[in-house]
Amino acid sequence: MTEEPKDRSGPSGDTVSASPSVISVMLIVPDAEAAVAWYKTALDATELWNLGGVAGLEISGAPFFLHEVNPENPTEISPGQAGVTSTRIEVFADDPDSVIERALAAGATAGAGIEDHRVPWGTHRQGGFTDPFGHKWSVGDKSPLRPFPG
């Protein structure tokens, strides 16, 4: 059985060019309004849209989303409710030290101290913090974003 190709034309019949997929995270938080404000202050996030309980943000063009805890969906709970964090959010920056300092100044809890790690491609500078909503963040330089070996 062969599947028919999908129509990829726009309303006028023009071909719509495919764009690459984007991966993101949806962070479950107890208070979306407070979380939006914190991420804007602490990480210089830009608000893309806000539906009041669900919001789209981005940091340097990388989108992420916030969703307030919904009691009618018990499968999506905040780290505070679960008592653990199962996902670590990674940020790659030119100056990881200043990103972490800014987050700590805004009320994040210090995680692993920032240090240089020897990795196959050279040195990777990385440290971390936990945001006030229980999410763990690692902040490092951009060295892992290049192909290796390269």
Side-chain angles (χ1 to χ4, degrees), residues 26-133:
M26 172 78 75
L27 303 177
I28 307 301
V29 296
D31 181 340
E33 184 178 332
V36 166
W38 192 85
Y39 292 118
K40 288 168 87 173
T41 297
L43 299 176
D44 202 24
T46 301
E47 189 174 309
L48 300 172
W49 48 265
N50 191 330
L51 304 179
V54 181
L57 304 170
E58 70 176 3
I59 298 172
S60 299
F64 70 105
F65 304 91
L66 305 176
H67 197 296
E68 197 162 289
V69 171
N70 178 355
E72 296 185 25
N73 186 355
T75 63
E76 293 183 358
I77 59 177
S78 71
Q81 291 173 298
V84 298
T85 298
S86 64
T87 302
R88 180 176 72 199
I89 299 96
E90 301 262 347
V91 175
F92 300 100
D94 291 328
D95 184 3
D97 297 83
S98 67
V99 173
I100 292 173
E101 288 168 12
R102 183 175 176 157
L104 295 177
T109 303
I114 194 155
E115 58 186 53
D116 293 339
H117 300 271
R118 290 292 307 148
V119 290
W121 59 85
T123 302
H124 176 53
R125 186 157 183 73
Q126 184 175 6
F129 63 87
T130 300
D131 70 29
F133 313 100

